[in-house]
Amino acid sequence: EEASPADQLPTEVMMKILSHLSPRDLARCAQVSQRWNQLALDPFLWPAIHPVQWAAGDWSFHPHVEDEEEAEKKSVHKGEEDCYYVDDEDADKDESSDSESSDGQPDTTMQQVLREVRIISGLVKHVLPRVGEGVQLCNLAHSRGISSSLVHKVLKLCPNLTTLNLAHTKITDAAFKEYGMKGGTGRLQHLDLSSCENITDNTLRSLAGSQTSTNDPVNTPRLSCKGKNNIGTTFVELSRSHGTGDADYALQETDSVIGQDLCYTNLDPFFTDLPPELCEFDCLGVGQETASRRSDSGGNNTPSAAPSCCSVKRTRCCSSGGVEGGETKSGYCGSNVGDDGDKRTDSGDKPHALHGLTHLSLNSCYRITDEGLRVLSERGGLPLLQHLDLSGCLNLTGEGVAWLVDTCQSLDHAFLFYCDNIYPDPYPATASGCRNLECGARFCCRSGD
Ligand code: FES
């Protein structure tokens, strides 16, 4: 077999050429030969991953810069645009999906979400195990295809991350499970969890390397759906009832073969802190079409159709052992561990994973309480922090904010933000107040004033 002229080039020259290629081109090069595979998947060539941007067709290692208005529009999910994907990690996915729909028609939101899922899953399975050590920046902001388990894997595969942006995602505490104990190396400098509404004190505990009990239901959630695909359904829609008339929906891709057994276990939970009586899952067949969350004018969510094509039995999440049988099984979706301090055990005095942090945004993470900030402050604080955004965190008191801020020796209070109504106000003369005032996309207790 005749060697390609490119194969005569010295490694240094090849690397210089490859360093100008996009991630998609690098992935293609990796399929040429063993030598090209080794070179194209050199960690040095993969400094950043932007799966959401790549799914939108912008294959660049550099971030797409959007103005504030554009970002805000994106963060307001309503009606047809609000659909999220529940990943079945073990399912084989077609990772060859292109950025354009095959019929040339504009993509639906669901197609975009599925493309995100394929790209993220492909990265986790095939690329990050090879290049993860070189990745310093991971931007998953606004992703509707990401799941907590995928974030967990990304964190494990990318030990040298300095920047992590998960803003406006549905991730839960499970994403950071044991991060501070195993994966966190203290290299993280910039962490953005803005509008991650499912994040609780348990995430701060994990980041601080503070272990939770092995009986922690939050960190061992199980969701399961079982049944039969009676009419060749491509997707099933999982609906989670809040017990208040509201419900959330997520799609699970499935095999379209008629008679196919459906069995989804370990689905990523949306919320892990709903009391058991308010957490129920139904699976609704939605046929071959895409589907998304629907809201009526009053903000209530209803599925547009609930065909009986897919006889999936409802289950609940349970604390351990998965779900048996398929009939409703009681269990819990987690009372917040940490309200009871006895359930927590610390892991010594070593600095936590956020020790080197310079930028932290917990904007609108309204489940965070003083307890979470206390854990961070007691584990060495954030001595290098220069920007702290706690706007929209309504469960904090002035005392809790002061616990953490007093450990931030590098923090200029001009870059300290928290709710204007916090009591007692710990830094009335120096802090910058709430960043969410007059911002429609982020939560603020004074919106409508
Ligand atoms: Fe209270 Fe904005 S969250 S003033």
Side-chain angles (χ1 to χ4, degrees):
E1 207 173 295
E2 202 174 320
S4 154
D7 286 329
Q8 312 301 320
L9 294 172
T11 297
E12 295 75 18
V13 176
M14 280 291 286
M15 288 295 282
K16 184 71 183 167
I17 294 169
L18 292 174
S19 70
H20 293 284
L21 298 187
S22 72
R24 182 165 62 173
D25 290 337
L26 283 177
R28 286 170 174 161
C29 288
Q31 298 171 51
V32 171
S33 67
Q34 279 188 349
R35 181 177 182 237
W36 282 47
N37 180 280
Q38 256 182 351
L39 295 176
L41 294 180
D42 186 306
F44 170 77
L45 297 175
W46 296 79
I49 54 172
H50 302 278
V52 180
Q53 174 180 316
W54 296 348
D58 182 356
W59 289 93
S60 167
F61 281 116
H62 302 290
H64 167 67
V65 181
E66 56 190 2
D67 59 35
E68 215 165 295
E69 198 179 329
E70 192 180 351
E72 279 196 11
K73 268 189 208 158
K74 203 190 274 185
S75 65
V76 180
H77 302 310
K78 282 182 181 165
E80 284 297 304
E81 297 226 330
D82 196 1
C83 54
Y84 293 86
Y85 190 85
V86 178
D87 183 35
D88 176 1
E89 295 165 30
D90 298 325
D92 282 334
K93 295 179 178 66
D94 174 12
E95 282 135 22
S96 63
S97 173
D98 205 72
S99 61
E100 291 173 5
S101 57
S102 56
D103 57 5
Q105 297 299 311
D107 290 337
T108 65
T109 303
M110 195 60 218
Q111 284 172 315
Q112 171 76 15
V113 172
L114 291 177
R115 201 158 46 235
E116 261 180 42
V117 172
R118 290 182 184 112
I119 288 175
I120 297 169
S121 301
L123 281 170
V124 166
K125 271 187 188 171
H126 307 299
V127 180
L128 292 182
R130 298 277 301 278
V131 309
E133 289 197 351
V135 176
Q136 295 177 20
L137 185 153
C138 173
N139 185 2
L140 287 160
H142 298 278
S143 172
R144 279 170 277 177
I146 194 66
S147 66
S148 297
S149 54
L150 282 173
V151 171
H152 191 250
K153 286 179 182 173
V154 168
L155 292 175
K156 266 178 136 172
L157 292 167
C158 304
N160 296 318
L161 271 185
T162 58
T163 300
L164 177 62
N165 190 346
L166 294 165
H168 297 277
T169 60
K170 295 283 186 186
I171 59 155
T172 67
D173 296 324
F176 294 97
K177 184 181 171 188
E178 297 180 342
Y179 178 71
M181 302 291 292
K182 292 179 179 171
T185 56
R187 293 196 172 90
L188 210 54
Q189 294 172 14
H190 184 119
L191 177 61
D192 193 339
L193 296 174
S194 305
S195 297
C196 293
E197 297 176 355
N198 300 328
I199 291 297
T200 74
D201 291 340
N202 284 320
T203 284
L204 298 184
R205 282 196 189 89
S206 299
L207 291 168
S210 181
Q211 228 172 17
T212 49
S213 149
T214 51
N215 292 325
D216 176 3
V218 172
N219 283 330
T220 55
R222 295 284 189 278
L223 301 175
S224 178
C225 290
K226 289 185 177 184
K228 260 204 184 337
N229 190 353
N230 297 338
I231 64 161
T233 304
T234 304
F235 292 96
V236 291
E237 188 173 71
L238 309 179
S239 106
R240 182 193 49 197
S241 164
H242 288 198
T244 57
D246 290 340
D248 287 326
Y249 298 92
L251 290 180
Q252 173 67 50
E253 197 169 9
T254 183
D255 198 314
S256 62
V257 177
I258 293 175
Q260 173 80 26
D261 282 328
L262 303 175
C263 181
Y264 303 121
T265 55
N266 291 333
L267 297 176
D268 191 26
F270 305 93
F271 297 144
T272 53
D273 57 351
L274 287 173
E277 65 276 15
L278 297 185
C279 192
E280 252 180 20
F281 278 78
D282 285 329
C283 296
L284 309 171
V286 294
Q288 304 291 345
E289 299 169 6
T290 58
S292 57
R293 182 173 172 174
R294 296 119 186 141
S295 297
D296 62 23
S297 54
N300 295 317
N301 300 303
T302 52
S304 61
S308 58
C309 57
C310 183
S311 58
V312 182
K313 295 171 184 175
R314 75 171 54 168
T315 61
R316 289 180 178 178
C317 23
C318 60
S319 60
S320 62
V323 174
E324 296 157 9
E327 287 298 348
T328 301
K329 181 181 181 222
S330 62
Y332 48 178
C333 294
S335 56
N336 273 342
V337 177
D339 295 332
D340 173 359
D342 290 336
K343 290 181 180 175
R344 191 186 63 249
T345 56
D346 287 345
S347 61
D349 294 328
K350 64 179 182 186
H352 56 68
L354 299 186
H355 200 71
L357 212 62
T358 58
H359 179 117
L360 174 62
S361 178
L362 297 171
N363 189 315
S364 301
C365 297
Y366 60 83
R367 295 166 198 264
I368 299 282
T369 70
D370 290 353
E371 170 66 13
L373 301 190
R374 186 186 67 78
V375 173
L376 274 185
S377 63
E378 286 185 352
R379 300 273 301 150
L382 304 172
L384 303 180
L385 201 71
Q386 295 171 15
H387 178 114
L388 177 60
D389 188 355
L390 298 170
S391 309
C393 296
L394 298 183
N395 285 316
L396 295 179
T397 68
E399 199 181 8
V401 172
W403 280 339
L404 181 61
V405 171
D406 286 350
T407 70
C408 304
Q409 298 95 329
S410 306
L411 181 63
D412 178 341
H413 288 194
F415 302 100
L416 168 62
F417 307 91
Y418 54 80
C419 170
D420 287 351
N421 289 337
I422 215 161
Y423 182 82
D425 189 337
Y427 311 102
T430 53
S432 288
C434 177
R435 292 191 82 199
N436 298 356
L437 292 168
E438 298 174 16
C439 172
R442 291 193 294 259
F443 185 78
C444 182
C445 66
R446 294 182 63 181
S447 60
D449 273 8

Coordinates of all heavy atoms in Angstrom, one line a residue, residues 362-393:
L362 N -23.6 31.2 41.7 CA -24.7 30.3 42.2 C -26.1 31.1 42.0 O -27.1 30.8 42.6 CB -24.6 29.9 43.6 CG -23.3 29.1 44.0 CD1 -23.1 29.0 45.5 CD2 -23.4 27.7 43.3
N363 N -26.0 32.0 41.0 CA -27.2 32.9 40.8 C -28.4 32.0 40.5 O -28.4 31.1 39.7 CB -26.9 33.7 39.5 CG -27.9 34.8 39.3 OD1 -29.1 34.5 39.4 ND2 -27.5 36.0 39.0
S364 N -29.5 32.3 41.3 CA -30.8 31.6 41.2 C -30.8 30.1 41.6 O -31.7 29.4 41.3 CB -31.3 31.7 39.7 OG -31.5 33.1 39.4
C365 N -29.7 29.7 42.2 CA -29.7 28.4 42.8 C -30.4 28.5 44.2 O -29.8 28.5 45.2 CB -28.3 27.8 43.0 SG -27.4 27.6 41.5
Y366 N -31.7 28.6 44.1 CA -32.4 29.1 45.3 C -32.6 28.0 46.4 O -33.1 28.3 47.5 CB -33.8 29.6 44.9 CG -34.7 28.6 44.2 CD1 -35.4 27.7 45.0 CD2 -34.8 28.6 42.9 CE1 -36.2 26.8 44.3 CE2 -35.6 27.7 42.2 CZ -36.3 26.8 42.9 OH -37.1 25.8 42.3
R367 N -32.1 26.8 46.1 CA -32.2 25.7 47.1 C -31.0 25.8 48.0 O -30.9 25.1 49.0 CB -32.3 24.4 46.4 CG -33.6 24.1 45.7 CD -33.5 22.9 44.8 NE -34.5 23.0 43.8 CZ -35.7 22.4 43.9 NH1 -36.0 21.7 44.9 NH2 -36.6 22.5 42.9
I368 N -30.0 26.5 47.6 CA -28.8 26.6 48.5 C -29.1 27.3 49.8 O -29.9 28.3 49.8 CB -27.7 27.4 47.7 CG1 -27.3 26.8 46.5 CG2 -26.5 27.7 48.7 CD1 -26.3 25.6 46.6
T369 N -28.6 26.8 50.9 CA -28.9 27.5 52.2 C -27.6 27.8 52.9 O -26.5 27.5 52.4 CB -29.7 26.5 53.1 OG1 -28.8 25.5 53.5 CG2 -30.9 25.9 52.4
D370 N -27.7 28.5 54.0 CA -26.5 28.8 54.8 C -25.7 27.6 55.1 O -24.4 27.7 55.2 CB -27.0 29.4 56.2 CG -27.6 30.8 56.0 OD1 -27.6 31.3 54.9 OD2 -28.2 31.3 57.0
E371 N -26.3 26.5 55.2 CA -25.5 25.2 55.6 C -24.5 24.9 54.5 O -23.4 24.6 54.8 CB -26.5 24.1 55.7 CG -25.9 22.7 55.8 CD -25.1 22.5 57.1 OE1 -25.2 23.3 58.0 OE2 -24.4 21.5 57.1
G372 N -24.9 25.1 53.2 CA -23.9 24.8 52.1 C -22.8 25.8 52.2 O -21.6 25.4 52.0
L373 N -23.0 27.1 52.4 CA -21.9 28.0 52.5 C -21.1 27.8 53.7 O -19.8 28.0 53.7 CB -22.5 29.5 52.6 CG -23.4 29.9 51.4 CD1 -23.7 31.4 51.5 CD2 -22.8 29.6 50.1
R374 N -21.7 27.3 54.8 CA -20.9 27.0 56.0 C -19.9 25.9 55.8 O -18.8 26.0 56.2 CB -21.9 26.6 57.1 CG -21.2 26.4 58.5 CD -22.1 25.8 59.5 NE -22.6 24.5 59.2 CZ -21.8 23.4 59.5 NH1 -20.6 23.5 59.9 NH2 -22.3 22.2 59.2
V375 N -20.4 24.9 55.0 CA -19.4 23.8 54.7 C -18.2 24.3 53.9 O -17.1 23.9 54.2 CB -20.2 22.6 53.9 CG1 -19.2 21.6 53.5 CG2 -21.3 22.0 54.8
L376 N -18.5 25.1 52.9 CA -17.4 25.7 52.1 C -16.4 26.5 53.0 O -15.2 26.3 52.9 CB -17.9 26.6 51.0 CG -18.4 25.9 49.7 CD1 -18.8 27.0 48.7 CD2 -17.2 25.1 49.1
S377 N -17.0 27.3 53.9 CA -16.2 28.2 54.7 C -15.4 27.4 55.7 O -14.2 27.6 55.9 CB -17.0 29.2 55.4 OG -17.9 28.6 56.3
E378 N -16.0 26.3 56.2 CA -15.2 25.5 57.2 C -14.2 24.6 56.6 O -13.3 24.2 57.3 CB -16.2 24.6 58.0 CG -17.1 25.4 59.0 CD -18.0 24.6 59.8 OE1 -18.1 23.3 59.5 OE2 -18.6 25.1 60.7
R379 N -14.3 24.4 55.3 CA -13.2 23.6 54.7 C -12.1 24.4 54.0 O -11.5 24.0 53.0 CB -13.9 22.7 53.6 CG -15.0 21.8 54.2 CD -14.5 20.5 54.7 NE -13.8 19.8 53.6 CZ -12.8 18.9 53.8 NH1 -12.3 18.7 55.0 NH2 -12.2 18.3 52.7
G380 N -12.0 25.6 54.5 CA -10.8 26.4 54.0 C -11.3 27.7 53.2 O -10.5 28.5 52.9
G381 N -12.6 27.7 52.9 CA -13.1 28.9 52.3 C -12.6 29.0 50.8 O -12.2 28.1 50.2
L382 N -12.8 30.2 50.3 CA -12.4 30.5 48.9 C -11.4 31.7 48.9 O -11.8 32.8 48.5 CB -13.6 30.8 48.1 CG -14.8 29.7 48.1 CD1 -16.0 30.2 47.4 CD2 -14.3 28.4 47.5
P383 N -10.2 31.4 49.3 CA -9.2 32.5 49.5 C -8.9 33.3 48.2 O -8.4 34.4 48.3 CB -8.0 31.8 50.0 CG -8.1 30.4 49.6 CD -9.6 30.1 49.6
L384 N -9.0 32.7 47.0 CA -8.6 33.4 45.8 C -9.8 34.0 45.0 O -9.7 34.5 44.0 CB -7.9 32.4 44.9 CG -6.7 31.7 45.5 CD1 -6.0 30.8 44.5 CD2 -5.7 32.8 45.9
L385 N -11.0 33.8 45.6 CA -12.2 34.2 44.9 C -12.3 35.8 44.6 O -12.0 36.6 45.5 CB -13.5 33.9 45.7 CG -14.8 33.8 44.9 CD1 -14.7 32.6 44.0 CD2 -16.0 33.7 45.8
Q386 N -12.6 36.1 43.4 CA -12.7 37.5 43.0 C -14.1 37.9 42.6 O -14.4 39.1 42.3 CB -11.7 37.8 41.9 CG -10.3 37.6 42.3 CD -9.3 37.7 41.2 OE1 -9.6 38.2 40.1 NE2 -8.1 37.3 41.4
H387 N -15.0 37.0 42.3 CA -16.3 37.3 41.9 C -17.3 36.2 42.5 O -17.1 35.0 42.3 CB -16.4 37.2 40.3 CG -17.7 37.4 39.7 ND1 -18.0 38.5 39.0 CD2 -18.9 36.7 39.8 CE1 -19.3 38.5 38.6 NE2 -19.8 37.4 39.1
L388 N -18.3 36.7 43.2 CA -19.2 35.8 43.9 C -20.7 36.3 43.6 O -21.0 37.4 44.0 CB -19.0 35.7 45.4 CG -20.0 34.9 46.2 CD1 -20.0 33.4 45.7 CD2 -19.6 34.9 47.7
D389 N -21.5 35.5 42.9 CA -22.8 35.9 42.6 C -23.8 35.0 43.3 O -23.9 33.8 43.0 CB -23.1 35.9 41.1 CG -24.4 36.5 40.7 OD1 -25.2 36.8 41.6 OD2 -24.7 36.6 39.5
L390 N -24.5 35.5 44.3 CA -25.5 34.7 45.1 C -26.9 35.4 44.9 O -27.8 35.1 45.6 CB -25.2 34.7 46.6 CG -23.8 34.1 46.9 CD1 -23.5 34.3 48.4 CD2 -23.9 32.6 46.7
S391 N -27.1 36.1 43.8 CA -28.4 36.8 43.5 C -29.4 35.7 43.4 O -29.1 34.6 42.8 CB -28.3 37.6 42.2 OG -27.2 38.5 42.3
G392 N -30.6 35.9 43.8 CA -31.7 35.0 43.6 C -31.6 33.8 44.6 O -32.5 32.9 44.4
C393 N -30.7 33.7 45.5 CA -30.6 32.6 46.4 C -31.4 33.0 47.7 O -30.9 33.6 48.6 CB -29.2 32.3 46.8 SG -28.2 31.7 45.4

